[in-house]
Amino acid sequence: MEAPKRKAEEVEEGVAKRTKVESSNGSGTSIAAAGPGATIAAPKKLGIDLDKLQKAKLALQKQKELQEKLKKAGITLGKPGAAPRPPAAAGAASAVAAAIAAGVPPAAAAAGIVPASLIAKGVTSVAAAAASIPAAAAGAPAAPAAPAAPKPVTKLPPPLILDEEGREIDPLTGKPVERRPEPQAPGLPSAAAQLQQEQQKAEEAAAKFFDPAIGNRGLRRLDRRPRTSFQFVEEGKLQKQAELGRLRAKFGDDAAKQLAERRRKEAEIAAAGEDANLIPLGTRAEAAPEAPPEEPLPEVEWWDARILADRGSYGNVIDGEPAQLKEEAITNLVQHPVLIEPPAEAPPPPPQPLKLTKRELKKLRTQRRIAREKEKQELIRQGLLEPPKPKVKISNLMRVLGAEATADPTAIEAEVRKQMAERAAAHEDRNLARMLTPAERREKKLKKLIGEEGAETHVALYKVGDLSNGQLRFKVDVNARENHMTGCSLVLADGGPGSFSLVIVEGSTKTLRRYEKLMLRRIDWQAGREEEEEEDAEGKPPKPPNYCKLVWQGVVKEPHFKKFKSETVHSEAAAKALLEKRGVGHYWDLAAAYVEE
């Protein structure tokens, strides 16, 4: 035992001498000043550096934390079943840390030196000192738990990728996969040939036991005539056959086939539950419309003509010469086209209210009144509304006031009558507040007369034979103004045979419907013509009967007339010119081309 002790003392003396020498050079601290058990800075000449040791400890700690996180997540690294092997540096660092925990100074543990106190206990190396304490006390990372058994790997088939033509694409190369039939060994028959041979052998084996004298009972049973039963003729079947025969005899087989085909389609449509009257009768083979002739290209575009010196040509621009421009016509202003509002579409019809009976309406009114009263009581209960005064009348005076009424009956009666007058005045005021003003009453009456005015204007054209009679013209004009319609009536003063008058009215659908009844039903267009014929009977032919026809009725974007007025013209050209000023010259052409069906 003395030899190891002596050896340990010599080692400690050597370490102390080296430390003193380094402290004298300014590279270390005195061991004596540090005292026994203090941490000694590791000299640079030793094999292990403390900075590297600290880095190794941090690496071990991070590795431990990473292993715990992976363990919680159920992820194992490395091959299944094999424990991870720590690196050599991590093993050395863990041994040094364990030796320091056993009582070895850090400098001595890093140099691999064991102090004399531990040598006396029989510990002769740093590894033995590290092994003398448990791994948990030394701060070494615990051995990782055995990883869980790996889950069986499920192999999925490769994805099927097809191109636009439906061919299979190899996912690695991106080229179509060619499926070639497996080569067949020479001398072996194909599957179809084998199947045919087996069927032929089976037929030959069955033919050995077949007696043609007896025959096949199954075939004879099928050839047997079926039993007779009642078969009723469908209604109309014989009539159809007779009609088909007459049609074939008169027009040939083609007409009969067409009739049979048409009846078959009618039966299919009737079976599907559709109306047989909606079957299309076919389309006529009409010649294709001729394409309109193409317009020739202009020599100069209209947007260039205003800035060219020669408005008829571009000059020699094609040859590379500059164009001759009017510089004064070019400014820094930009011309924007006028925006045209699109024609407004009619709004969708509002939802129709639910039709209720009188009993249901009364019940709804009662429920609304009860809900309104409950809300009022709730406001009074919360103090947001002042409670109403008792409604005292002469009839309930004694019942409401009681003893107060007997104290001074005259004053109480006067107060009650005053309250009654106030209530009556408040009632009248509420009625006046609900009453419409004259302007509102006038607007309501006009709305009822005209109806809802939409964004569109409805137009109607009436062609009248003769409108020279003052009574007829008065009725046409006055009714149009009373219905707040715009338009005009054109009357030919000296109309010959074939001449007519035109009445144009613009308004809403409701006013046009009312005016149509006036023009086509109520007005007697033959009134007054007998007296005129008697006066003009001398030497004049009789006038044709008068008439009024609705030529066209439709919708336009905006009205073309500001009010309704009557105009008298002396020729058709003058009437058409008058309409063209309003932008509706085509109305006269439409009336002139109208022919009664």
Side-chain angles (χ1 to χ4, degrees):
M1 294 294 289
E2 294 179 0
K5 287 181 180 180
R6 193 180 303 112
K7 185 176 181 181
E9 291 175 356
E10 292 176 358
V11 170
E12 289 180 358
E13 291 176 358
V15 171
K17 291 179 180 179
R18 292 175 185 173
T19 308
K20 287 181 180 180
V21 172
E22 291 176 358
S23 62
S24 63
N25 295 332
S27 61
T29 57
S30 176
I31 297 176
T39 304
I40 304 172
K44 293 183 180 180
K45 294 183 180 180
L46 298 179
I48 299 177
D49 192 359
L50 284 181
D51 295 337
K52 295 182 179 180
L53 179 63
Q54 191 68 18
K55 291 181 181 179
K57 286 183 180 181
L58 293 175
L60 273 175
Q61 187 177 359
K62 290 183 180 180
Q63 183 180 6
K64 183 179 178 181
E65 292 175 359
L66 180 61
Q67 287 179 355
E68 289 178 357
K69 290 181 180 180
L70 293 176
K71 185 178 179 181
K72 289 180 181 179
I75 303 174
T76 57
L77 299 176
K79 296 181 180 180
R85 292 186 293 177
S94 60
V96 171
I100 293 171
V104 180
I113 301 172
V114 182
S117 58
L118 292 179
I119 294 175
K121 296 180 181 180
V123 180
T124 59
S125 64
V126 175
S132 64
I133 62 172
K151 297 181 180 179
V153 180
T154 304
K155 293 185 177 180
L156 298 176
L160 180 61
I161 304 174
L162 302 177
D163 60 356
E164 297 178 354
E165 299 179 0
R167 297 176 298 181
E168 184 180 357
I169 301 298
D170 191 355
L172 298 177
T173 61
K175 297 180 179 180
V177 179
E178 297 182 359
R179 301 290 183 182
R180 298 180 179 178
E182 297 181 359
Q184 189 174 356
L188 293 178
S190 62
Q194 292 180 1
L195 182 61
Q196 186 176 3
Q197 291 177 4
E198 291 178 359
Q199 291 180 355
Q200 187 175 1
K201 290 179 181 179
E203 291 176 359
E204 291 177 357
K208 293 180 180 179
F209 306 99
F210 179 71
D211 188 0
I214 300 175
N216 193 343
R217 295 183 180 181
L219 291 176
R220 286 188 299 174
R221 190 180 297 111
L222 292 175
D223 294 340
R224 185 187 303 168
R225 183 179 178 182
R227 296 178 181 178
T228 57
S229 60
F230 289 108
Q231 295 181 356
F232 297 98
V233 179
E234 296 180 2
E235 184 179 359
K237 181 179 180 181
L238 300 179
Q239 286 86 343
K240 291 180 181 178
Q241 291 180 357
E243 184 180 356
L244 199 62
R246 288 193 296 269
L247 191 64
R248 185 182 290 107
K250 187 174 181 180
F251 299 104
D253 293 340
D254 295 339
K257 291 179 181 179
Q258 292 178 3
L259 180 61
E261 183 68 19
R262 190 180 69 184
R263 286 179 175 173
R264 185 183 62 79
K265 291 182 179 179
E266 291 178 1
E268 291 178 357
I269 294 175
E274 299 180 2
D275 189 2
N277 295 324
L278 300 178
I279 302 172
L281 299 178
T283 57
R284 295 182 179 179
E286 298 180 356
E290 296 182 359
E294 296 183 359
E295 297 181 359
L297 294 178
E299 294 292 335
V300 177
E301 299 292 347
W302 61 270
W303 53 82
D304 294 335
R306 59 181 300 179
I307 61 174
L308 289 174
D310 185 5
R311 299 175 64 91
S313 66
Y314 287 101
N316 297 327
V317 177
I318 301 177
D319 300 335
E321 297 181 4
Q324 302 296 327
L325 303 178
K326 292 190 294 184
E327 301 293 341
E328 65 275 6
I330 301 174
T331 62
N332 59 348
L333 303 178
V334 179
Q335 181 180 2
H336 297 277
V338 180
L339 298 178
I340 300 175
E341 295 293 335
E345 299 180 358
Q352 297 295 328
L354 183 63
K355 299 295 182 181
L356 301 177
T357 61
K358 291 184 178 180
R359 186 176 180 182
E360 291 172 342
L361 291 173
K362 184 178 179 181
K363 189 175 181 181
L364 284 176
R365 285 196 299 269
T366 305
Q367 290 176 356
R368 292 194 197 101
R369 186 173 62 253
I370 292 173
R372 190 166 55 249
E373 190 65 26
K374 285 184 178 180
E375 185 179 358
K376 184 178 178 181
Q377 291 176 3
E378 185 66 25
L379 292 176
I380 293 172
R381 192 179 299 111
Q382 294 176 1
L384 302 176
L385 192 66
E386 184 181 356
K389 297 179 181 180
K391 192 176 182 180
V392 185
K393 298 183 292 184
I394 298 296
S395 58
N396 62 356
L397 177 63
M398 299 300 296
R399 186 172 63 254
V400 174
L401 297 180
E404 295 179 4
T406 58
D408 191 356
T410 305
I412 294 298
E413 182 181 355
E415 183 65 24
V416 169
R417 291 189 182 278
K418 181 181 178 182
Q419 292 181 7
M420 291 172 61
E422 289 177 356
R423 289 197 297 268
H427 177 73
E428 296 295 335
D429 292 341
R430 287 194 299 270
N431 287 347
L432 287 175
R434 285 194 298 266
M435 190 180 299
L436 298 176
T437 62
E440 292 175 346
R441 195 180 298 110
R442 197 180 306 111
E443 185 180 355
K444 180 181 178 182
K445 185 178 179 181
L446 184 62
K447 185 177 180 181
K448 184 178 180 181
L449 178 66
I450 299 177
E452 295 291 338
E453 293 185 2
E456 300 172 340
T457 303
H458 296 262
V459 184
L461 305 181
Y462 295 95
K463 183 178 181 181
V464 184
D466 184 12
L467 201 58
S468 59
N469 191 347
Q471 293 183 356
L472 298 179
R473 190 185 304 178
F474 176 79
K475 292 177 182 179
V476 170
D477 296 351
V478 169
N479 280 276
R481 292 192 181 97
E482 288 180 351
N483 286 293
H484 297 272
M485 305 174 74
T486 59
C488 68
S489 60
L490 299 178
V491 183
L492 283 176
D494 301 327
S499 62
F500 62 90
S501 301
L502 182 63
V503 179
I504 305 170
V505 286
E506 298 173 341
S508 62
T509 53
K510 192 172 184 179
T511 55
L512 279 184
R513 197 182 309 117
R514 192 183 300 117
Y515 198 78
E516 182 181 353
K517 292 179 181 178
L518 170 76
M519 297 290 287
L520 300 182
R521 299 183 192 175
R522 292 172 54 195
I523 295 180
D524 183 12
W525 297 100
Q526 305 298 333
R529 295 184 65 85
E530 296 179 358
E531 299 177 359
E532 293 178 0
E533 289 177 359
E534 291 178 0
E535 294 177 358
D536 301 337
E538 300 177 357
K540 289 186 179 181
K543 294 182 179 181
N546 199 3
Y547 62 89
C548 177
K549 302 296 180 183
L550 178 62
V551 177
W552 175 77
Q553 186 174 0
V555 180
V556 295
K557 180 182 175 183
E558 56 186 9
H560 295 87
F561 299 90
K562 294 182 179 180
K563 60 181 181 178
F564 190 90
K565 61 180 180 178
S566 179
E567 297 285 348
T568 302
V569 294
H570 298 277
S571 64
E572 295 183 359
K576 188 174 181 181
L578 186 64
L579 292 177
E580 286 179 350
K581 291 181 180 179
R582 301 285 184 176
V584 289
H586 57 283
Y587 284 174
W588 186 269
D589 299 335
L590 188 63
Y594 174 76
V595 178
E596 186 179 1
E597 296 179 357

